[in-house]
mmCIF file of all heavy atoms in Angstrom:
data_model
loop_
_atom_site.group_PDB
_atom_site.id
_atom_site.type_symbol
_atom_site.label_atom_id
_atom_site.label_comp_id
_atom_site.label_asym_id
_atom_site.label_seq_id
_atom_site.Cartn_x
_atom_site.Cartn_y
_atom_site.Cartn_z
ATOM 1 N N GLY F 121 -15.568 7.426 3.426
ATOM 2 C CA GLY F 121 -16.830 8.090 3.727
ATOM 3 C C GLY F 121 -16.888 9.534 3.238
ATOM 4 O O GLY F 121 -17.952 10.026 2.878
ATOM 5 N N HIS F 122 -15.733 10.216 3.225
ATOM 6 C CA HIS F 122 -15.728 11.598 2.747
ATOM 7 C C HIS F 122 -16.100 11.658 1.273
ATOM 8 O O HIS F 122 -16.775 12.575 0.825
ATOM 9 C CB HIS F 122 -14.341 12.225 2.940
ATOM 10 C CG HIS F 122 -13.983 12.403 4.378
ATOM 11 N ND1 HIS F 122 -12.823 12.998 4.791
ATOM 12 C CD2 HIS F 122 -14.631 12.052 5.504
ATOM 13 C CE1 HIS F 122 -12.778 13.022 6.105
ATOM 14 N NE2 HIS F 122 -13.860 12.445 6.562
ATOM 15 N N GLU F 124 -17.846 9.283 -0.250
ATOM 16 C CA GLU F 124 -19.243 8.844 -0.379
ATOM 17 C C GLU F 124 -20.200 9.995 -0.082
ATOM 18 O O GLU F 124 -21.227 10.143 -0.747
ATOM 19 C CB GLU F 124 -19.511 7.662 0.546
ATOM 20 C CG GLU F 124 -18.814 6.409 0.069
ATOM 21 C CD GLU F 124 -19.133 5.192 0.924
ATOM 22 O OE1 GLU F 124 -19.663 5.351 2.038
ATOM 23 O OE2 GLU F 124 -18.827 4.088 0.458
ATOM 24 N N GLN F 127 -20.310 11.993 -3.107
ATOM 25 C CA GLN F 127 -21.046 11.292 -4.162
ATOM 26 C C GLN F 127 -22.554 11.415 -3.948
ATOM 27 O O GLN F 127 -23.299 11.706 -4.873
ATOM 28 C CB GLN F 127 -20.617 9.819 -4.136
ATOM 29 C CG GLN F 127 -21.040 9.022 -5.349
ATOM 30 C CD GLN F 127 -20.686 7.551 -5.190
ATOM 31 O OE1 GLN F 127 -19.798 7.206 -4.418
ATOM 32 N NE2 GLN F 127 -21.387 6.687 -5.901
ATOM 33 N N ARG F 139 -11.909 18.649 -4.762
ATOM 34 C CA ARG F 139 -12.368 19.472 -3.646
ATOM 35 C C ARG F 139 -12.246 18.776 -2.293
ATOM 36 O O ARG F 139 -12.087 19.438 -1.272
ATOM 37 C CB ARG F 139 -13.835 19.875 -3.871
ATOM 38 C CG ARG F 139 -14.068 20.664 -5.153
ATOM 39 C CD ARG F 139 -13.586 22.078 -5.030
ATOM 40 N NE ARG F 139 -14.174 22.730 -3.870
ATOM 41 C CZ ARG F 139 -13.743 23.874 -3.374
ATOM 42 N NH1 ARG F 139 -12.741 24.492 -3.921
ATOM 43 N NH2 ARG F 139 -14.328 24.401 -2.315
ATOM 44 N N GLN F 144 -7.051 17.458 1.299
ATOM 45 C CA GLN F 144 -6.668 16.713 2.501
ATOM 46 C C GLN F 144 -5.378 15.935 2.269
ATOM 47 O O GLN F 144 -4.527 15.836 3.151
ATOM 48 C CB GLN F 144 -7.785 15.742 2.899
ATOM 49 C CG GLN F 144 -9.074 16.430 3.278
ATOM 50 C CD GLN F 144 -10.043 15.465 3.938
ATOM 51 O OE1 GLN F 144 -9.760 14.927 4.996
ATOM 52 N NE2 GLN F 144 -11.168 15.227 3.307
ATOM 53 N N ARG Q 51 -27.615 1.583 1.367
ATOM 54 C CA ARG Q 51 -26.553 1.999 0.434
ATOM 55 C C ARG Q 51 -26.943 1.727 -1.014
ATOM 56 O O ARG Q 51 -26.513 2.444 -1.913
ATOM 57 C CB ARG Q 51 -25.233 1.308 0.788
ATOM 58 C CG ARG Q 51 -24.614 1.866 2.096
ATOM 59 C CD ARG Q 51 -23.400 1.069 2.527
ATOM 60 N NE ARG Q 51 -22.355 1.076 1.523
ATOM 61 C CZ ARG Q 51 -21.449 2.037 1.378
ATOM 62 N NH1 ARG Q 51 -21.443 3.052 2.221
ATOM 63 N NH2 ARG Q 51 -20.537 1.983 0.441
ATOM 64 N N ARG Q 88 -29.651 12.001 -8.472
ATOM 65 C CA ARG Q 88 -28.579 11.781 -7.493
ATOM 66 C C ARG Q 88 -28.751 12.631 -6.222
ATOM 67 O O ARG Q 88 -28.800 12.117 -5.116
ATOM 68 C CB ARG Q 88 -27.257 12.099 -8.203
ATOM 69 C CG ARG Q 88 -26.012 12.266 -7.397
ATOM 70 C CD ARG Q 88 -25.379 10.979 -7.060
ATOM 71 N NE ARG Q 88 -26.048 10.399 -5.910
ATOM 72 C CZ ARG Q 88 -25.777 9.222 -5.414
ATOM 73 N NH1 ARG Q 88 -24.876 8.469 -5.994
ATOM 74 N NH2 ARG Q 88 -26.388 8.772 -4.357
ATOM 75 N N TRP Q 101 -16.561 17.057 5.894
ATOM 76 C CA TRP Q 101 -15.225 17.258 5.317
ATOM 77 C C TRP Q 101 -14.403 18.120 6.270
ATOM 78 O O TRP Q 101 -14.725 19.297 6.487
ATOM 79 C CB TRP Q 101 -15.353 17.912 3.944
ATOM 80 C CG TRP Q 101 -16.178 17.066 3.025
ATOM 81 C CD1 TRP Q 101 -16.038 15.722 2.804
ATOM 82 C CD2 TRP Q 101 -17.271 17.478 2.209
ATOM 83 N NE1 TRP Q 101 -16.978 15.291 1.897
ATOM 84 C CE2 TRP Q 101 -17.740 16.347 1.511
ATOM 85 C CE3 TRP Q 101 -17.886 18.710 1.988
ATOM 86 C CZ2 TRP Q 101 -18.806 16.395 0.627
ATOM 87 C CZ3 TRP Q 101 -18.948 18.762 1.094
ATOM 88 C CH2 TRP Q 101 -19.390 17.614 0.427
ATOM 89 N N HIS Q 103 -11.575 19.596 6.259
ATOM 90 C CA HIS Q 103 -10.776 20.757 5.849
ATOM 91 C C HIS Q 103 -11.662 21.950 5.482
ATOM 92 O O HIS Q 103 -11.168 22.978 5.043
ATOM 93 C CB HIS Q 103 -9.886 20.391 4.666
ATOM 94 C CG HIS Q 103 -10.651 19.907 3.463
ATOM 95 N ND1 HIS Q 103 -11.456 18.785 3.497
ATOM 96 C CD2 HIS Q 103 -10.747 20.387 2.219
ATOM 97 C CE1 HIS Q 103 -11.997 18.615 2.300
ATOM 98 N NE2 HIS Q 103 -11.584 19.562 1.507
ATOM 99 N N GLU Q 112 -20.971 23.724 -0.362
ATOM 100 C CA GLU Q 112 -20.158 23.112 -1.418
ATOM 101 C C GLU Q 112 -21.026 22.485 -2.519
ATOM 102 O O GLU Q 112 -20.888 22.818 -3.695
ATOM 103 C CB GLU Q 112 -19.229 22.052 -0.796
ATOM 104 C CG GLU Q 112 -18.340 21.322 -1.787
ATOM 105 C CD GLU Q 112 -17.253 22.204 -2.390
ATOM 106 O OE1 GLU Q 112 -16.982 23.280 -1.836
ATOM 107 O OE2 GLU Q 112 -16.697 21.813 -3.427
#
Side-chain angles (χ1 to χ4, degrees):
Chain F
H122 293 183
E124 289 184 345
Q127 193 185 337
R139 301 285 306 167
Q144 297 192 63
Chain Q
R51 288 173 60 84
R88 166 82 279 176
W101 301 312
H103 59 299
E112 179 69 16

